PDB file of all heavy atoms in Angstrom:
ATOM      1  N   PRO P   6      53.125  99.072 230.615  1.00  0.00           N
ATOM      2  CA  PRO P   6      54.260  99.516 229.944  1.00  0.00           C
ATOM      3  C   PRO P   6      54.723  98.703 228.766  1.00  0.00           C
ATOM      4  O   PRO P   6      54.617  97.418 228.860  1.00  0.00           O
ATOM      5  CB  PRO P   6      55.328  99.346 231.114  1.00  0.00           C
ATOM      6  CG  PRO P   6      54.676  98.438 232.049  1.00  0.00           C
ATOM      7  CD  PRO P   6      53.177  98.512 231.865  1.00  0.00           C
ATOM      8  N   ARG P   7      55.008  99.397 227.661  1.00  0.00           N
ATOM      9  CA  ARG P   7      55.296  98.747 226.409  1.00  0.00           C
ATOM     10  C   ARG P   7      56.776  98.486 226.135  1.00  0.00           C
ATOM     11  O   ARG P   7      57.625  99.282 226.421  1.00  0.00           O
ATOM     12  CB  ARG P   7      54.747  99.672 225.326  1.00  0.00           C
ATOM     13  CG  ARG P   7      54.908  99.041 223.921  1.00  0.00           C
ATOM     14  CD  ARG P   7      54.070  99.668 222.890  1.00  0.00           C
ATOM     15  NE  ARG P   7      52.664  99.322 223.255  1.00  0.00           N
ATOM     16  CZ  ARG P   7      51.592 100.225 223.138  1.00  0.00           C
ATOM     17  NH1 ARG P   7      51.836 101.339 222.594  1.00  0.00           N
ATOM     18  NH2 ARG P   7      50.405  99.801 223.420  1.00  0.00           N
ATOM     19  N   ILE P   8      57.001  97.270 225.658  1.00  0.00           N
ATOM     20  CA  ILE P   8      58.376  96.907 225.238  1.00  0.00           C
ATOM     21  C   ILE P   8      58.401  96.450 223.831  1.00  0.00           C
ATOM     22  O   ILE P   8      57.531  95.777 223.364  1.00  0.00           O
ATOM     23  CB  ILE P   8      58.940  95.757 226.179  1.00  0.00           C
ATOM     24  CG1 ILE P   8      59.084  96.231 227.591  1.00  0.00           C
ATOM     25  CG2 ILE P   8      60.128  95.239 225.613  1.00  0.00           C
ATOM     26  CD1 ILE P   8      59.492  95.229 228.569  1.00  0.00           C
ATOM     27  N   LEU P   9      59.348  96.951 223.016  1.00  0.00           N
ATOM     28  CA  LEU P   9      59.538  96.620 221.713  1.00  0.00           C
ATOM     29  C   LEU P   9      60.552  95.582 221.511  1.00  0.00           C
ATOM     30  O   LEU P   9      61.582  95.694 222.136  1.00  0.00           O
ATOM     31  CB  LEU P   9      59.941  97.873 220.888  1.00  0.00           C
ATOM     32  CG  LEU P   9      60.222  97.630 219.431  1.00  0.00           C
ATOM     33  CD1 LEU P   9      58.847  97.319 218.737  1.00  0.00           C
ATOM     34  CD2 LEU P   9      60.816  98.887 218.723  1.00  0.00           C
ATOM     35  N   LEU P  25      56.767  88.209 228.952  1.00  0.00           N
ATOM     36  CA  LEU P  25      56.671  89.605 229.461  1.00  0.00           C
ATOM     37  C   LEU P  25      55.228  89.989 229.658  1.00  0.00           C
ATOM     38  O   LEU P  25      54.944  90.778 230.618  1.00  0.00           O
ATOM     39  CB  LEU P  25      57.296  90.599 228.349  1.00  0.00           C
ATOM     40  CG  LEU P  25      58.820  90.431 228.380  1.00  0.00           C
ATOM     41  CD1 LEU P  25      59.348  91.215 227.150  1.00  0.00           C
ATOM     42  CD2 LEU P  25      59.459  90.994 229.595  1.00  0.00           C
ATOM     43  N   VAL P  28      53.927  89.040 233.206  1.00  0.00           N
ATOM     44  CA  VAL P  28      54.437  89.834 234.272  1.00  0.00           C
ATOM     45  C   VAL P  28      54.123  91.309 234.142  1.00  0.00           C
ATOM     46  O   VAL P  28      54.583  92.164 234.841  1.00  0.00           O
ATOM     47  CB  VAL P  28      55.917  89.623 234.622  1.00  0.00           C
ATOM     48  CG1 VAL P  28      56.150  88.134 234.948  1.00  0.00           C
ATOM     49  CG2 VAL P  28      56.650  90.055 233.365  1.00  0.00           C
ATOM     50  N   GLY P  29      53.127  91.590 233.220  1.00  0.00           N
ATOM     51  CA  GLY P  29      52.565  92.915 233.167  1.00  0.00           C
ATOM     52  C   GLY P  29      53.068  93.994 232.172  1.00  0.00           C
ATOM     53  O   GLY P  29      52.969  95.139 232.330  1.00  0.00           O
ATOM     54  N   TYR P  30      53.707  93.350 231.104  1.00  0.00           N
ATOM     55  CA  TYR P  30      54.206  94.296 230.088  1.00  0.00           C
ATOM     56  C   TYR P  30      53.282  94.075 228.824  1.00  0.00           C
ATOM     57  O   TYR P  30      52.880  92.957 228.609  1.00  0.00           O
ATOM     58  CB  TYR P  30      55.688  94.012 229.721  1.00  0.00           C
ATOM     59  CG  TYR P  30      56.642  94.385 230.793  1.00  0.00           C
ATOM     60  CD1 TYR P  30      57.098  93.445 231.648  1.00  0.00           C
ATOM     61  CD2 TYR P  30      57.087  95.684 230.961  1.00  0.00           C
ATOM     62  CE1 TYR P  30      58.011  93.743 232.651  1.00  0.00           C
ATOM     63  CE2 TYR P  30      57.899  96.012 231.930  1.00  0.00           C
ATOM     64  CZ  TYR P  30      58.419  95.053 232.786  1.00  0.00           C
ATOM     65  OH  TYR P  30      59.328  95.304 233.770  1.00  0.00           O
ATOM     66  N   ASP P  31      53.202  95.136 228.005  1.00  0.00           N
ATOM     67  CA  ASP P  31      52.620  95.125 226.611  1.00  0.00           C
ATOM     68  C   ASP P  31      53.795  94.967 225.601  1.00  0.00           C
ATOM     69  O   ASP P  31      54.623  95.891 225.690  1.00  0.00           O
ATOM     70  CB  ASP P  31      51.757  96.297 226.451  1.00  0.00           C
ATOM     71  CG  ASP P  31      51.029  96.285 225.118  1.00  0.00           C
ATOM     72  OD1 ASP P  31      50.714  95.271 224.545  1.00  0.00           O
ATOM     73  OD2 ASP P  31      50.849  97.363 224.590  1.00  0.00           O
ATOM     74  N   VAL P  50      58.226 103.710 224.112  1.00  0.00           N
ATOM     75  CA  VAL P  50      58.433 102.312 224.726  1.00  0.00           C
ATOM     76  C   VAL P  50      59.272 102.462 226.021  1.00  0.00           C
ATOM     77  O   VAL P  50      60.030 103.482 226.160  1.00  0.00           O
ATOM     78  CB  VAL P  50      59.081 101.365 223.752  1.00  0.00           C
ATOM     79  CG1 VAL P  50      58.181 101.099 222.625  1.00  0.00           C
ATOM     80  CG2 VAL P  50      60.455 101.831 223.417  1.00  0.00           C
ATOM     81  N   LEU P  51      59.097 101.574 226.950  1.00  0.00           N
ATOM     82  CA  LEU P  51      59.898 101.472 228.142  1.00  0.00           C
ATOM     83  C   LEU P  51      61.266 100.895 227.871  1.00  0.00           C
ATOM     84  O   LEU P  51      62.234 101.258 228.510  1.00  0.00           O
ATOM     85  CB  LEU P  51      59.189 100.668 229.154  1.00  0.00           C
ATOM     86  CG  LEU P  51      59.567 100.694 230.561  1.00  0.00           C
ATOM     87  CD1 LEU P  51      59.579 102.097 231.212  1.00  0.00           C
ATOM     88  CD2 LEU P  51      58.806  99.698 231.440  1.00  0.00           C
ATOM     89  N   ALA P  52      61.342  99.966 226.901  1.00  0.00           N
ATOM     90  CA  ALA P  52      62.714  99.290 226.626  1.00  0.00           C
ATOM     91  C   ALA P  52      62.530  98.728 225.239  1.00  0.00           C
ATOM     92  O   ALA P  52      61.494  98.456 224.771  1.00  0.00           O
ATOM     93  CB  ALA P  52      63.030  98.309 227.647  1.00  0.00           C
ATOM     94  N   VAL P  53      63.749  98.365 224.686  1.00  0.00           N
ATOM     95  CA  VAL P  53      63.851  97.661 223.403  1.00  0.00           C
ATOM     96  C   VAL P  53      64.700  96.410 223.596  1.00  0.00           C
ATOM     97  O   VAL P  53      65.750  96.578 224.169  1.00  0.00           O
ATOM     98  CB  VAL P  53      64.500  98.631 222.318  1.00  0.00           C
ATOM     99  CG1 VAL P  53      64.727  97.889 221.025  1.00  0.00           C
ATOM    100  CG2 VAL P  53      63.729  99.855 222.184  1.00  0.00           C
ATOM    101  N   ILE P  54      64.211  95.373 223.129  1.00  0.00           N
ATOM    102  CA  ILE P  54      64.934  94.066 223.149  1.00  0.00           C
ATOM    103  C   ILE P  54      65.293  93.742 221.666  1.00  0.00           C
ATOM    104  O   ILE P  54      64.454  93.825 220.840  1.00  0.00           O
ATOM    105  CB  ILE P  54      64.155  92.935 223.707  1.00  0.00           C
ATOM    106  CG1 ILE P  54      63.688  93.253 225.094  1.00  0.00           C
ATOM    107  CG2 ILE P  54      64.893  91.619 223.600  1.00  0.00           C
ATOM    108  CD1 ILE P  54      62.543  92.303 225.698  1.00  0.00           C
ATOM    109  N   PRO P  83      65.176 104.940 225.227  1.00  0.00           N
ATOM    110  CA  PRO P  83      64.897 103.828 226.116  1.00  0.00           C
ATOM    111  C   PRO P  83      66.099 102.905 226.206  1.00  0.00           C
ATOM    112  O   PRO P  83      66.863 102.830 225.331  1.00  0.00           O
ATOM    113  CB  PRO P  83      63.717 103.129 225.387  1.00  0.00           C
ATOM    114  CG  PRO P  83      63.810 103.480 223.984  1.00  0.00           C
ATOM    115  CD  PRO P  83      64.448 104.911 223.958  1.00  0.00           C
ATOM    116  N   PRO P  84      66.153 102.191 227.292  1.00  0.00           N
ATOM    117  CA  PRO P  84      67.193 101.123 227.431  1.00  0.00           C
ATOM    118  C   PRO P  84      67.128 100.161 226.318  1.00  0.00           C
ATOM    119  O   PRO P  84      65.959  99.709 225.886  1.00  0.00           O
ATOM    120  CB  PRO P  84      67.059 100.613 228.808  1.00  0.00           C
ATOM    121  CG  PRO P  84      65.677 100.896 229.182  1.00  0.00           C
ATOM    122  CD  PRO P  84      65.183 102.146 228.479  1.00  0.00           C
ATOM    123  N   PHE P  85      68.266  99.602 225.811  1.00  0.00           N
ATOM    124  CA  PHE P  85      68.329  98.445 224.912  1.00  0.00           C
ATOM    125  C   PHE P  85      68.927  97.259 225.611  1.00  0.00           C
ATOM    126  O   PHE P  85      69.967  97.409 226.297  1.00  0.00           O
ATOM    127  CB  PHE P  85      69.241  98.935 223.675  1.00  0.00           C
ATOM    128  CG  PHE P  85      68.471  99.696 222.630  1.00  0.00           C
ATOM    129  CD1 PHE P  85      67.954 100.858 222.713  1.00  0.00           C
ATOM    130  CD2 PHE P  85      68.436  98.971 221.351  1.00  0.00           C
ATOM    131  CE1 PHE P  85      67.299 101.477 221.700  1.00  0.00           C
ATOM    132  CE2 PHE P  85      67.805  99.622 220.304  1.00  0.00           C
ATOM    133  CZ  PHE P  85      67.232 100.834 220.545  1.00  0.00           C
ATOM    134  N   ILE P  86      68.330  96.155 225.317  1.00  0.00           N
ATOM    135  CA  ILE P  86      68.788  94.861 225.806  1.00  0.00           C
ATOM    136  C   ILE P  86      69.134  94.056 224.544  1.00  0.00           C
ATOM    137  O   ILE P  86      68.343  93.844 223.688  1.00  0.00           O
ATOM    138  CB  ILE P  86      67.818  94.124 226.740  1.00  0.00           C
ATOM    139  CG1 ILE P  86      67.510  94.961 227.966  1.00  0.00           C
ATOM    140  CG2 ILE P  86      68.340  92.727 227.011  1.00  0.00           C
ATOM    141  CD1 ILE P  86      66.308  94.587 228.665  1.00  0.00           C
ATOM    142  N   ARG P 111      72.281 103.481 228.214  1.00  0.00           N
ATOM    143  CA  ARG P 111      71.677 102.247 228.821  1.00  0.00           C
ATOM    144  C   ARG P 111      71.597 101.209 227.926  1.00  0.00           C
ATOM    145  O   ARG P 111      70.563 100.859 227.307  1.00  0.00           O
ATOM    146  CB  ARG P 111      70.354 102.692 229.433  1.00  0.00           C
ATOM    147  CG  ARG P 111      70.478 103.795 230.540  1.00  0.00           C
ATOM    148  CD  ARG P 111      69.196 104.411 230.906  1.00  0.00           C
ATOM    149  NE  ARG P 111      67.989 103.563 230.717  1.00  0.00           N
ATOM    150  CZ  ARG P 111      66.783 104.064 230.778  1.00  0.00           C
ATOM    151  NH1 ARG P 111      66.513 105.347 231.132  1.00  0.00           N
ATOM    152  NH2 ARG P 111      65.744 103.293 230.608  1.00  0.00           N
ATOM    153  N   GLU P 113      72.522  97.066 227.703  1.00  0.00           N
ATOM    154  CA  GLU P 113      72.981  95.751 228.459  1.00  0.00           C
ATOM    155  C   GLU P 113      72.988  94.583 227.367  1.00  0.00           C
ATOM    156  O   GLU P 113      72.290  94.646 226.339  1.00  0.00           O
ATOM    157  CB  GLU P 113      72.021  95.387 229.568  1.00  0.00           C
ATOM    158  CG  GLU P 113      72.226  96.288 230.706  1.00  0.00           C
ATOM    159  CD  GLU P 113      73.556  96.182 231.419  1.00  0.00           C
ATOM    160  OE1 GLU P 113      74.277  95.067 231.372  1.00  0.00           O
ATOM    161  OE2 GLU P 113      74.007  97.232 232.105  1.00  0.00           O
ATOM    162  N   PHE P 124      66.347  86.668 231.994  1.00  0.00           N
ATOM    163  CA  PHE P 124      65.706  87.505 231.015  1.00  0.00           C
ATOM    164  C   PHE P 124      64.838  88.537 231.823  1.00  0.00           C
ATOM    165  O   PHE P 124      64.920  89.792 231.643  1.00  0.00           O
ATOM    166  CB  PHE P 124      64.862  86.728 230.051  1.00  0.00           C
ATOM    167  CG  PHE P 124      64.111  87.526 229.068  1.00  0.00           C
ATOM    168  CD1 PHE P 124      64.772  88.340 228.162  1.00  0.00           C
ATOM    169  CD2 PHE P 124      62.821  87.544 229.145  1.00  0.00           C
ATOM    170  CE1 PHE P 124      64.092  89.159 227.204  1.00  0.00           C
ATOM    171  CE2 PHE P 124      62.031  88.303 228.150  1.00  0.00           C
ATOM    172  CZ  PHE P 124      62.644  89.099 227.250  1.00  0.00           C
ATOM    173  N   LEU P 125      64.046  87.997 232.767  1.00  0.00           N
ATOM    174  CA  LEU P 125      63.100  88.842 233.501  1.00  0.00           C
ATOM    175  C   LEU P 125      63.770  89.823 234.380  1.00  0.00           C
ATOM    176  O   LEU P 125      63.564  90.989 234.579  1.00  0.00           O
ATOM    177  CB  LEU P 125      62.046  88.056 234.198  1.00  0.00           C
ATOM    178  CG  LEU P 125      60.990  87.434 233.357  1.00  0.00           C
ATOM    179  CD1 LEU P 125      60.121  86.588 234.185  1.00  0.00           C
ATOM    180  CD2 LEU P 125      60.230  88.467 232.650  1.00  0.00           C
ATOM    181  N   ALA P 126      64.919  89.309 235.097  1.00  0.00           N
ATOM    182  CA  ALA P 126      65.729  90.103 235.938  1.00  0.00           C
ATOM    183  C   ALA P 126      66.423  91.304 235.111  1.00  0.00           C
ATOM    184  O   ALA P 126      66.454  92.386 235.619  1.00  0.00           O
ATOM    185  CB  ALA P 126      66.891  89.232 236.620  1.00  0.00           C
ATOM    186  N   MET P 127      66.908  90.953 233.952  1.00  0.00           N
ATOM    187  CA  MET P 127      67.445  92.054 233.129  1.00  0.00           C
ATOM    188  C   MET P 127      66.368  93.094 232.737  1.00  0.00           C
ATOM    189  O   MET P 127      66.692  94.334 232.890  1.00  0.00           O
ATOM    190  CB  MET P 127      68.039  91.370 231.846  1.00  0.00           C
ATOM    191  CG  MET P 127      68.566  92.431 230.846  1.00  0.00           C
ATOM    192  SD  MET P 127      70.142  93.206 231.323  1.00  0.00           S
ATOM    193  CE  MET P 127      71.192  91.736 231.265  1.00  0.00           C
ATOM    194  N   ILE P 128      65.160  92.727 232.374  1.00  0.00           N
ATOM    195  CA  ILE P 128      64.139  93.643 232.095  1.00  0.00           C
ATOM    196  C   ILE P 128      63.802  94.467 233.301  1.00  0.00           C
ATOM    197  O   ILE P 128      63.617  95.731 233.163  1.00  0.00           O
ATOM    198  CB  ILE P 128      62.888  92.885 231.590  1.00  0.00           C
ATOM    199  CG1 ILE P 128      63.090  92.075 230.277  1.00  0.00           C
ATOM    200  CG2 ILE P 128      61.697  93.827 231.425  1.00  0.00           C
ATOM    201  CD1 ILE P 128      63.323  92.951 229.112  1.00  0.00           C
ATOM    202  N   ARG P 129      63.671  93.924 234.383  1.00  0.00           N
ATOM    203  CA  ARG P 129      63.379  94.593 235.597  1.00  0.00           C
ATOM    204  C   ARG P 129      64.435  95.617 235.977  1.00  0.00           C
ATOM    205  O   ARG P 129      64.076  96.862 236.373  1.00  0.00           O
ATOM    206  CB  ARG P 129      63.103  93.662 236.803  1.00  0.00           C
ATOM    207  CG  ARG P 129      61.885  92.917 236.653  1.00  0.00           C
ATOM    208  CD  ARG P 129      61.663  92.025 237.900  1.00  0.00           C
ATOM    209  NE  ARG P 129      60.565  91.078 237.750  1.00  0.00           N
ATOM    210  CZ  ARG P 129      60.704  89.769 237.657  1.00  0.00           C
ATOM    211  NH1 ARG P 129      61.959  89.244 237.844  1.00  0.00           N
ATOM    212  NH2 ARG P 129      59.700  88.983 237.424  1.00  0.00           N
ATOM    213  N   THR P 130      65.652  95.246 235.842  1.00  0.00           N
ATOM    214  CA  THR P 130      66.826  96.108 236.058  1.00  0.00           C
ATOM    215  C   THR P 130      66.797  97.292 235.131  1.00  0.00           C
ATOM    216  O   THR P 130      66.907  98.457 235.481  1.00  0.00           O
ATOM    217  CB  THR P 130      68.119  95.324 236.079  1.00  0.00           C
ATOM    218  OG1 THR P 130      68.107  94.373 236.999  1.00  0.00           O
ATOM    219  CG2 THR P 130      69.290  96.355 236.213  1.00  0.00           C
ATOM    220  N   MET P 131      66.624  97.030 233.870  1.00  0.00           N
ATOM    221  CA  MET P 131      66.726  98.056 232.826  1.00  0.00           C
ATOM    222  C   MET P 131      65.489  99.019 232.831  1.00  0.00           C
ATOM    223  O   MET P 131      65.660 100.186 232.456  1.00  0.00           O
ATOM    224  CB  MET P 131      66.942  97.428 231.393  1.00  0.00           C
ATOM    225  CG  MET P 131      68.185  96.630 231.299  1.00  0.00           C
ATOM    226  SD  MET P 131      69.628  97.703 231.524  1.00  0.00           S
ATOM    227  CE  MET P 131      69.542  98.697 229.848  1.00  0.00           C
ATOM    228  N   THR P 132      64.306  98.517 233.343  1.00  0.00           N
ATOM    229  CA  THR P 132      63.165  99.377 233.253  1.00  0.00           C
ATOM    230  C   THR P 132      62.896  99.991 234.588  1.00  0.00           C
ATOM    231  O   THR P 132      61.969 100.819 234.824  1.00  0.00           O
ATOM    232  CB  THR P 132      61.976  98.514 232.835  1.00  0.00           C
ATOM    233  OG1 THR P 132      61.706  97.564 233.742  1.00  0.00           O
ATOM    234  CG2 THR P 132      62.049  97.957 231.467  1.00  0.00           C
ATOM    235  N   GLY P 133      63.734  99.552 235.684  1.00  0.00           N
ATOM    236  CA  GLY P 133      63.473 100.193 236.920  1.00  0.00           C
ATOM    237  C   GLY P 133      62.182  99.536 237.608  1.00  0.00           C
ATOM    238  O   GLY P 133      61.721 100.250 238.487  1.00  0.00           O
ATOM    239  N   ARG P 134      61.775  98.469 237.230  1.00  0.00           N
ATOM    240  CA  ARG P 134      60.463  97.921 237.731  1.00  0.00           C
ATOM    241  C   ARG P 134      60.832  96.624 238.471  1.00  0.00           C
ATOM    242  O   ARG P 134      60.961  95.598 237.811  1.00  0.00           O
ATOM    243  CB  ARG P 134      59.437  97.629 236.635  1.00  0.00           C
ATOM    244  CG  ARG P 134      59.085  98.883 235.888  1.00  0.00           C
ATOM    245  CD  ARG P 134      58.215  98.459 234.823  1.00  0.00           C
ATOM    246  NE  ARG P 134      56.998  97.918 235.343  1.00  0.00           N
ATOM    247  CZ  ARG P 134      55.771  98.380 235.264  1.00  0.00           C
ATOM    248  NH1 ARG P 134      55.515  99.381 234.402  1.00  0.00           N
ATOM    249  NH2 ARG P 134      54.819  97.791 235.824  1.00  0.00           N
ATOM    250  N   GLY P 135      61.018  96.644 239.806  1.00  0.00           N
ATOM    251  CA  GLY P 135      61.196  95.458 240.560  1.00  0.00           C
ATOM    252  C   GLY P 135      60.032  94.669 240.697  1.00  0.00           C
ATOM    253  O   GLY P 135      58.902  95.125 240.853  1.00  0.00           O
ATOM    254  N   GLY P 136      60.178  93.359 240.781  1.00  0.00           N
ATOM    255  CA  GLY P 136      59.018  92.496 241.114  1.00  0.00           C
ATOM    256  C   GLY P 136      58.029  92.362 239.993  1.00  0.00           C
ATOM    257  O   GLY P 136      58.164  92.887 238.889  1.00  0.00           O
ATOM    258  N   VAL P 138      54.441  93.064 238.172  1.00  0.00           N
ATOM    259  CA  VAL P 138      53.516  94.092 237.947  1.00  0.00           C
ATOM    260  C   VAL P 138      52.157  93.720 238.258  1.00  0.00           C
ATOM    261  O   VAL P 138      51.769  92.738 237.641  1.00  0.00           O
ATOM    262  CB  VAL P 138      53.656  94.781 236.477  1.00  0.00           C
ATOM    263  CG1 VAL P 138      52.705  95.932 236.330  1.00  0.00           C
ATOM    264  CG2 VAL P 138      55.063  95.062 236.195  1.00  0.00           C
TER     265      VAL P 138
END
Side-chain angles (χ1 to χ4, degrees):
R7 182 161 294 146
I8 294 181
L9 179 66
L25 290 168
V28 295
Y30 294 97
D31 178 31
V50 297
L51 189 62
V53 177
I54 300 168
F85 271 66
I86 299 166
R111 296 169 27 192
E113 287 294 334
F124 177 68
L125 290 175
M127 176 74 67
I128 296 292
R129 289 184 192 115
T130 298
M131 294 298 285
T132 62
R134 299 177 62 121
V138 180

